[in-house]
Amino acid sequence: MSTAEPVPGYDAEFLGASAALPIPVDTRVVRELTYVHFTVLLDPARRLAVATGVNIDGSELRELGRSDDWRPDPRVGAEEQAGADLYLDNDLDRGHLVRRSDPVWGAPAVAEQANSDTFVYPNAAPQAAQFNQSKQLWLGLEDYVLTHADTYDTRLSVFTAPVLAADDPQYRGVGIPRSFWKVAAWAAAPGQGEDLLLMATGYVLDQTPQLDDVDLSDGGAVPAAGPPPLGPYRTYQVPIGDIAALTGLDLGPLVAADRFTAPAPVGVGSRDRWVRLDALTGVQL
């Protein structure tokens, strides 16, 4: 669907099967910031996004140049969003949460605005430079799932954010996330004439080993309480229910829509059922 005017925000009904933007299950305050084809839920206390959601129409995607014109969102105060100072003179990258290319579809003016909108600081999270530039597997997940979904439909909704843990190491007033999560959702008709059925898959990526290479001494960083039990540069396909537990978010129907058949857990809360991905062909769809 092309429009002459930008469409604000994430659309929960975009797939034809409802998939609401994940929200915190607790009482924490969040700022809902809408952009063209995506929404960011900003945690002002952490100055980072707690969740993002983007609608992708694969049949109308456009290729546009990258601007790297990062800027704050004027709708929230500077004290509520991690800005340029966090990334100055260090090895931290501004990592896109909503991938730059994902909302860039539709009429030319709409796609241009969406492209620009992805370069606001609420849509960024600090990542070790090596992590951000080397994770082709992580960056390619949307494309891989979209290609699969194209068998039925060309639309995809993707949710991404850092895992905001209470013991994240502090740097310049911002807790540096150790890991990130992503859920990709699409819809398909199980049979001719039947209603569309929501389908989804979930992933976690860890950057703890790369944080060891970032100088966090500036600003009185607090040492991490110990790395999570994940190795370097590892992407995992995980049960979406585990993402809900890890993040404290209500993922609604996405949990029941999970296409991943996880191994039996060894214990309660065990990550043994997380399956490491070494190639996109290992993704269960």
Side-chain angles (χ1 to χ4, degrees):
M1 177 183 68
S2 296
T3 61
E5 297 295 331
V7 178
Y10 169 79
D11 179 3
E13 305 302 322
F14 176 76
L15 300 176
S18 186
L21 184 68
I23 58 174
V25 297
D26 56 25
T27 58
R28 81 185 88 171
V29 174
V30 296
R31 309 280 190 240
E32 182 175 349
L33 302 172
T34 58
Y35 307 94
V36 177
H37 299 149
F38 71 98
T39 293
V40 174
L41 292 185
L42 179 68
D43 183 334
R46 288 296 304 264
R47 302 174 65 190
L48 296 171
V50 68
T52 68
V54 59
N55 303 125
I56 309 169
D57 190 332
S59 67
E60 295 194 36
L61 287 170
R62 296 180 180 271
E63 293 187 12
L64 298 178
R66 182 186 180 98
S67 69
D68 281 324
D69 181 22
W70 286 98
R71 60 200 184 279
D73 190 315
R75 293 174 292 181
V76 293
E79 74 282 359
E80 293 189 350
Q81 55 187 310
D85 290 348
L86 176 62
Y87 304 96
L88 185 65
D89 298 327
N90 56 36
D91 291 329
L92 291 175
D93 272 1
R94 301 166 179 83
H96 272 88
L97 296 174
V98 171
R99 198 174 58 158
R100 182 186 71 85
S101 59
D102 283 352
V104 181
W105 55 269
V110 174
E112 289 280 1
Q113 185 61 56
N115 186 43
S116 176
D117 281 355
T118 66
F119 286 94
V120 293
Y121 278 114
N123 188 43
Q127 297 175 342
Q130 188 177 13
F131 166 93
N132 193 29
Q133 295 166 5
S134 302
K135 296 272 58 72
Q136 296 307 313
L137 179 62
W138 180 255
L139 296 175
L141 281 169
E142 285 99 323
D143 293 335
Y144 186 77
V145 177
L146 186 64
T147 298
H148 169 81
D150 186 53
T151 303
Y152 314 100
D153 200 318
T154 57
R155 291 187 167 195
L156 191 70
S157 291
V158 177
F159 313 94
T160 310
V163 176
L164 302 181
D167 62 350
D168 285 335
Q170 295 292 312
Y171 177 62
R172 298 180 180 176
V174 178
I176 307 301
R178 295 184 178 89
S179 56
F180 294 78
W181 62 272
K182 185 189 302 289
V183 174
W186 66 102
Q192 188 174 5
E194 296 187 44
D195 292 338
L196 291 176
L197 180 68
L198 184 67
M199 301 182 179
T201 51
Y203 312 90
V204 168
L205 189 147
D206 174 58
Q207 73 165 350
T208 300
Q210 286 67 59
L211 284 175
D212 294 338
D213 299 328
V214 178
D215 181 7
L216 295 176
S217 60
D218 183 6
V222 177
L230 299 172
Y233 296 145
R234 289 181 179 174
T235 299
Y236 289 82
Q237 184 165 7
V238 308
I240 295 175
D242 284 11
I243 295 176
L246 186 67
T247 60
L249 294 173
D250 180 0
L251 296 176
L254 294 168
V255 177
D258 198 349
R259 303 291 292 172
F260 178 51
T261 304
V266 174
V268 177
S270 173
R271 296 186 179 183
D272 292 342
R273 60 183 185 165
W274 292 17
V275 173
R276 180 182 173 182
L277 297 176
D278 296 309
L280 289 169
T281 52
V283 174
Q284 288 188 34
L285 297 175

